[in-house]
Amino acid sequence: MDTIIIGKNQEVYSTQIPETKKSQEFDLSNINKKYQPRIKAFHTILKESVSPECLNTFYDRITTSTITYSKLKNFLYRFCYIKVTGEYLVEENEIHLYVNRGQRTTLTHELLHLSSSYVNQKREHYQIGFYQENPTLVLGDALNEGYTEYLTNKLFHLGYNSSDYLYESIIAMLVEEVLGDQTMQKLYFTGDLYNFINNLCQYTTIDNVKKFLFLTDYVLNNRYKITRKKASIESISYINQFLLEVYTNKLIKLYQEKEITLLEVYQLLEIFTYELKQLLDINLPMKKEHLKENIVKNKQLVMYNIKQRL
C-alpha cells in the first residue's frame, strides 16, 4: 500500500478499489421494505450519471447495509436545535435517519457516503469519499461532506440537505472545476484521497494541497466558534487564494498545450471568480466587504501571474 506523508507520523493511504461487478443485480432483503424503492431509484440515477467503475462500492456495500429511523433522536435533535438529519456508520455499514420531512434528501446523502466507502479493518483504516481516517490522521471531512452535498443537488436535484455544508459544497464544486467532473467523481466514489492529492499536485505543491485540506477541515469545525473566528477568517482567505492559484495554473497549462486560447484563459478565469463569489451569499465569519476584497485581490494577483508567464 502506497502512502503520502502529510505531517509528522501522519500518512494518507492509497485505496484498494473493489473489483468490477460482473452483475449489476443486488440483494436488498437486508433493508427495510420502506426504503427499497428509494434505493432502486438512487441506483438508477447513479447508473445513468457516472461511469460504471463508480458503482463498484455501491454494489459491494449495499447488500450488507441496514437503514433505520429513530423517532427518539428526531425528537431530541429538534428539541435541542441540532441539525443532524442522518448519519452513515461506515464500520457498521449502517444508515441512521433522524428526520421524517426531507428524508429523501438525507437518505440520498447517506447513500452517497455508503457508495464511496471502504474499510480496511486490519489497518484500522477507512475511507468515505475524500475523508480518510487511519491510525495516523483524520483528514478530508470538509471536502467530502461538501462534495457529497454538491452531488446530492447536481445528480439528484434534491437541493442542499443542510446549510451547514453550503460553504463546503461551493469549495468542492470549484475543486471539481480544476480536476474535471469525471476525474473528481472517480476519485470520490473510489474513496481515493491519495490520488486526489496527486492530481491536484499537477497545478501546485504538495505542501499547498496539505494546507488546503487541513484548513477546509478547520473551517468546517470552527467557523461558528467565537474564539476561533480570526483563525477561521485567515483560513478562508488562504482557501480563496489556493483555489484561484491552482485554477490559474491549470489554465496556463492548457494554454501552453494549445488546448485553449489566451482569450479563453481570461474568460474561464472570470467565470471561476464569479462562482467563487457565491461565498458572498452565505453566512461566514468574514465580513462580506472583506471577503469580496480578498477575492478581488487574489484575482488581481493571478492575473498578474498570467501576464508574467504568458
Side-chain angles (χ1 to χ4, degrees):
M1 182 177 291
D2 297 326
T3 63
I4 294 174
I5 305 300
I6 290 293
K8 187 177 180 181
N9 300 321
Q10 292 181 311
E11 297 176 315
V12 168
Y13 298 162
S14 59
T15 304
Q16 294 180 351
I17 303 170
E19 293 182 7
T20 302
K21 302 294 181 181
K22 294 180 180 179
S23 171
Q24 294 181 345
E25 296 180 0
F26 47 93
D27 181 14
L28 297 179
S29 59
N30 205 40
I31 292 173
N32 189 313
K33 289 183 179 180
K34 173 183 176 181
Y35 302 112
Q36 291 182 15
R38 297 184 187 180
I39 294 173
K40 290 176 182 177
F42 172 90
H43 170 254
T44 298
I45 294 172
L46 197 62
K47 184 179 174 183
E48 293 171 351
S49 304
V50 301
S51 62
E53 63 191 327
C54 292
L55 281 86
N56 290 346
T57 303
F58 170 81
Y59 295 133
D60 190 60
R61 303 283 280 169
I62 194 63
T63 55
T64 59
S65 181
T66 59
I67 302 173
T68 59
Y69 166 66
S70 172
K71 288 184 179 179
L72 176 61
K73 284 196 175 181
N74 179 15
F75 172 77
L76 290 175
Y77 284 167
R78 287 171 62 192
F79 182 78
C80 298
Y81 298 99
I82 298 173
K83 292 184 179 180
V84 177
T85 58
E87 60 184 333
Y88 173 60
L89 305 181
V90 61
E91 293 179 281
E92 295 82 358
N93 197 19
E94 296 174 354
I95 293 175
H96 294 195
L97 303 174
Y98 307 135
V99 290
N100 264 325
R101 186 175 297 177
Q103 195 177 81
R104 185 184 170 198
T105 304
T106 299
L107 178 58
T108 299
H109 182 102
E110 303 308 332
L111 283 170
L112 284 169
H113 283 324
L114 175 147
S115 302
S116 59
S117 63
Y118 169 76
V119 179
N120 181 344
Q121 293 178 340
K122 283 188 177 180
R123 300 200 58 160
E124 300 175 313
H125 152 221
Y126 66 81
Q127 298 155 191
I128 310 175
F130 297 119
Y131 173 83
Q132 184 171 133
E133 184 168 328
N134 66 52
T136 70
L137 92 163
V138 175
L139 186 66
D141 191 23
L143 184 66
N144 183 54
E145 290 294 353
Y147 197 62
T148 302
E149 201 75 343
Y150 174 65
L151 289 180
T152 302
N153 182 50
K154 180 182 179 181
L155 302 184
F156 299 90
H157 308 291
L158 290 175
Y160 290 108
N161 186 37
S162 167
S163 60
D164 286 346
Y165 295 137
L166 274 177
Y167 173 76
E168 287 73 25
S169 65
I170 293 171
I171 299 305
M173 174 194 70
L174 293 169
V175 175
E176 186 185 74
E177 290 287 329
V178 176
L179 297 182
D181 57 356
Q182 291 186 356
T183 298
M184 190 81 164
Q185 287 173 9
K186 180 182 176 181
L187 293 169
Y188 172 82
F189 282 107
T190 54
D192 200 350
L193 180 64
Y194 175 87
N195 277 313
F196 171 83
I197 293 170
N198 285 333
N199 272 265
L200 271 183
C201 284
Q202 296 176 82
Y203 311 115
T204 188
T205 67
I206 190 167
D207 286 339
N208 287 341
V209 178
K210 293 175 189 176
K211 187 174 180 180
F212 167 74
L213 288 169
F214 279 118
L215 290 184
T216 50
D217 282 353
Y218 184 88
V219 173
L220 172 63
N221 296 318
N222 295 286
R223 67 173 173 265
Y224 298 121
K225 297 176 182 177
I226 296 175
T227 56
R228 306 289 174 85
K229 182 177 179 179
K230 182 180 178 182
S232 294
I233 290 172
E234 291 172 352
S235 299
I236 291 168
S237 298
Y238 175 81
I239 291 165
N240 292 344
Q241 175 189 332
F242 173 87
L243 290 168
L244 281 164
E245 284 183 355
V246 294
Y247 189 67
T248 299
N249 289 338
K250 175 188 177 178
L251 294 178
I252 290 172
K253 184 178 180 182
L254 290 174
Y255 173 79
Q256 291 171 338
E257 293 171 352
K258 299 183 178 180
E259 294 190 31
I260 59 174
T261 66
L262 187 57
L263 176 61
E264 288 173 320
V265 169
Y266 289 119
Q267 288 174 335
L268 290 168
L269 180 59
E270 192 64 38
I271 293 169
F272 189 85
T273 306
Y274 177 80
E275 291 173 338
L276 181 58
K277 286 181 178 177
Q278 290 182 65
L279 298 180
L280 297 169
D281 299 326
I282 64 176
N283 182 30
L284 291 172
M286 200 171 184
K287 290 183 179 179
K288 294 190 185 299
E289 58 266 31
H290 294 159
L291 178 57
K292 185 176 181 180
E293 181 182 341
N294 173 264
I295 294 171
V296 170
K297 180 181 177 181
N298 280 304
K299 186 193 172 186
Q300 289 171 344
L301 289 172
V302 297
M303 289 283 285
Y304 177 78
N305 188 19
I306 291 171
K307 290 175 182 177
Q308 290 294 108
R309 293 172 64 183
L310 303 182

